[in-house]
């Protein structure tokens, strides 16, 4: 079943469909990152009900950073701009939490998810990356119980990379090799996953016991061939409005040559706390082959998803995703899962 963006229904048009969540009664919640809209559709995908609106007042938002369903189909929305978490039941606001109420923090923090039981997961920068060469920040994850205000540190890890180069004259050249040395955090009901796309290392941390399980994704040689370097450089040259100098071309070739394919594309933890690992598609067409690990039994399976399907909610039997085919209108769709070992 699905809800489709259509010019025939202007009130249902979305500029940048970012999330889709299926409620227990069959209704579908769809979010638009660009306009900050949240809309509930009935089981037929027809009737509309707005949840909040753009703004800075109670129940309003300036960013739709992430959306999560909690017990009783309550809807939790995090607004990074306002640094605020809002809980709705249907269109009604039931609770509002501000991150500033749980500080002050001695370094930058951001909310990355919510666990069962009303615990928010924060990502905090412990040690920023320097601007000398190519370095990585040190980050940590901690949980805060929204009711008791108790905090707990879960893990420290290497954050994203800051990549800085300098020209022959000493000038500063900013450049971030695509998808290199990035860290990914996925939050489930009771577990969290921290992945390093450069090394392929994934740590799964249980929020209650802080027990850690480690996995490593190995997908063969992940370096670019000479043909790949040439193809990437040709792609960059086609996008340049003016001719380039030999020095610019040589610098770009050097940067491309150091690039490696990431070990995986994305991480996701489903409603049963299974770990989903997206295999990286070297063709850059949105690889949709996922490795699924049962964290209790250790069983591993594989799921093939539609090409343009970006998962936003996964249960044992159903998957809801935002389907963004560039040749079609965006669609929020639900599929029945079939997996093969």
């Amino acid at each position: 079943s699905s809800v489709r963006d259509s010019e025939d229904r202007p009130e249902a048009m979305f500029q940048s469909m970012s999330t889709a969540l299926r409620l227990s009664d069959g209704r579908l919640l769809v979010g638009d990152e660009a306009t900050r809209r949240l809309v509930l559709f009935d089981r037929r995908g027809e009737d509309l009900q707005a949840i909040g609106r753009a703004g800075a007042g109670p129940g309003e938002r300036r960013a739709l950073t992430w959306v999560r369903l909690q017990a009783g189909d309550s809807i939790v929305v995090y607004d990074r701009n306002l640094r605020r978490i809002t809980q709705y039941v249907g269109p009604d606001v039931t609770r509002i939490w501000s991150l500033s109420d749980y500080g002050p923090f001695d370094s930058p923090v951001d909310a990355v998810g919510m666990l069962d039981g009303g615990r928010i997961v924060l990502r905090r920068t412990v040690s920023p990356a320097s601007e000398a060469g190519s370095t990585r920040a040190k980050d940590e994850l901690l949980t805060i119980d929204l009711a008791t205000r108790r905090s707990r540190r879960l893990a420290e890890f290497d954050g994203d990379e800051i990549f800085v180069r300098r020209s022959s004259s000493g000038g500063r050249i900013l450049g971030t090799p695509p998808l290199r040395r990035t860290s990914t955090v996925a939050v489930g009901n009771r577990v969290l996953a921290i992945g390093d796309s450069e090394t392929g290392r994934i740590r799964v941390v249980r929020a209650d016991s802080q027990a850690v399980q480690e996995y490593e994704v190995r997908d063969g040689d992940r370096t670019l061939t000479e043909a790949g370097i040439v193809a990437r450089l040709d792609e960059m040259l086609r996008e340049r409005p003016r001719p380039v100098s030999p020095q610019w071309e040589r610098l770009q070739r050097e940067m491309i040559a150091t690039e490696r394919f990431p070990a995986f594309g994305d991480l996701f933890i489903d409603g049963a706390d299974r770990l989903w690992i997206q295999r990286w598609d070297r063709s850059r067409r949105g690889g949709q082959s996922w490795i699924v690990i049962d964290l209790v039994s250790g069983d591993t399976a594989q799921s093939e998803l539609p090409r343009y399907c970006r998962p936003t909610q996964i249960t044992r039997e159903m998957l809801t995703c935002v389907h963004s085919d560039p040749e079609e209108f965006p669609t929020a769709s639900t599929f029945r899962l079939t997996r093969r070992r």
Side-chain angles (χ1 to χ4, degrees):
S1 60
S2 65
V3 171
R4 182 176 297 275
D5 190 351
S6 170
E7 291 180 339
D8 298 331
R9 303 176 65 198
E11 74 281 4
M13 289 288 288
F14 293 89
Q15 293 184 27
S16 180
M17 192 180 290
S18 58
T19 192
L21 300 171
R22 182 74 62 176
L23 277 63
S24 61
D25 61 5
R27 289 180 297 167
L28 186 66
L29 179 71
V30 180
D32 188 323
E33 186 176 17
T35 63
R36 282 81 68 191
R37 292 176 65 213
L38 268 179
V39 181
L40 264 177
F41 293 86
D42 66 12
R43 299 186 67 171
R44 298 172 298 172
E46 296 179 358
D47 293 340
L48 303 170
Q49 185 179 42
I51 308 295
R53 61 182 181 181
E60 298 176 342
R61 52 190 168 268
R62 288 182 176 165
L64 198 63
T65 309
W66 51 258
V67 183
R68 183 176 173 87
L69 293 180
Q70 292 291 95
D73 280 345
S74 65
I75 301 163
V76 178
V77 180
Y78 174 56
D79 182 333
R80 180 177 290 144
N81 288 0
L82 295 176
R83 299 174 63 76
R84 189 166 69 189
I85 301 164
T86 304
Q87 183 182 53
Y88 304 86
V89 175
D92 301 321
V93 177
T94 57
R95 293 289 300 274
I96 297 176
W97 299 274
S98 174
L99 291 190
S100 60
D101 294 337
Y102 297 87
F105 300 101
D106 55 6
S107 57
V109 297
D110 191 25
V112 294
M114 179 177 277
L115 299 163
D116 280 354
R119 289 170 295 172
I120 193 71
V121 181
L122 299 182
R123 178 174 178 172
R124 178 167 66 176
T125 300
V126 179
S127 174
S130 71
E131 293 189 357
S134 179
T135 57
R136 304 185 73 171
K138 288 291 184 181
D139 292 352
E140 70 174 7
L141 291 181
L142 60 148
T143 62
I144 294 181
D145 190 303
L146 294 175
T148 65
R149 297 175 178 263
R150 292 179 180 173
S151 63
R152 187 177 189 181
R153 181 180 176 275
L154 293 181
E156 183 173 309
F157 58 99
D158 290 332
D160 295 334
E161 181 179 49
I162 291 180
F163 186 83
V164 178
R165 298 196 63 164
R166 297 190 178 275
S167 66
S168 57
S169 61
R172 188 167 178 266
I173 303 174
L174 282 175
T176 304
L179 296 169
R180 184 180 180 211
R181 291 186 181 272
T182 59
S183 57
T184 303
V185 176
V187 180
N189 295 325
R190 296 170 296 277
V191 300
L192 308 95
I194 306 166
D196 188 325
S197 66
E198 170 72 8
T199 63
R201 182 188 180 199
I202 300 170
R203 281 184 291 164
V204 177
V205 183
R206 297 197 173 275
D208 294 327
S209 65
Q210 293 187 280
V212 177
Q213 296 170 266
E214 294 195 1
Y215 302 92
E216 186 174 353
V217 179
R218 298 183 179 180
D219 201 13
D221 182 14
R222 295 188 284 117
T223 58
L224 278 172
T225 63
E226 179 61 28
I229 295 173
V230 172
R232 178 70 58 76
L233 187 59
D234 288 344
E235 180 182 342
M236 296 174 66
L237 290 173
R238 287 195 298 270
E239 297 175 353
R240 298 286 296 183
R242 299 185 301 273
V244 301
S245 66
Q247 292 82 4
W248 181 91
E249 187 171 338
R250 183 173 64 254
L251 176 63
Q252 296 304 318
R253 177 182 286 273
E254 291 174 358
M255 293 178 66
I256 294 171
T258 63
E259 181 183 341
R260 296 180 66 202
F261 287 104
F264 54 84
D266 200 3
L267 298 178
F268 195 94
I269 298 178
D270 67 16
D273 280 338
R274 293 171 302 181
L275 175 64
W276 291 62
I277 307 169
Q278 183 189 38
R279 301 185 65 181
W280 179 250
D281 178 10
R282 297 192 183 195
S283 66
R284 293 175 175 257
R285 295 177 180 173
Q288 288 299 307
S289 177
W290 291 71
I291 302 167
V292 185
I293 301 176
D294 189 312
L295 299 176
V296 176
S297 66
D299 293 340
T300 300
Q302 184 170 310
S303 278
E304 304 295 330
L305 305 187
R307 177 174 172 184
Y308 295 104
C309 167
R310 180 172 56 81
T312 55
Q313 180 188 37
I314 306 176
T315 66
R316 283 212 172 268
E317 303 299 333
M318 305 294 291
L319 176 142
T320 302
C321 71
V322 172
H323 195 78
S324 301
D325 187 330
E327 298 181 357
E328 301 286 343
F329 285 112
T331 305
S333 305
T334 298
F335 302 91
R336 184 170 296 278
L337 286 174
T338 56
R339 291 184 296 275
R340 57 185 174 84
R341 295 187 180 278

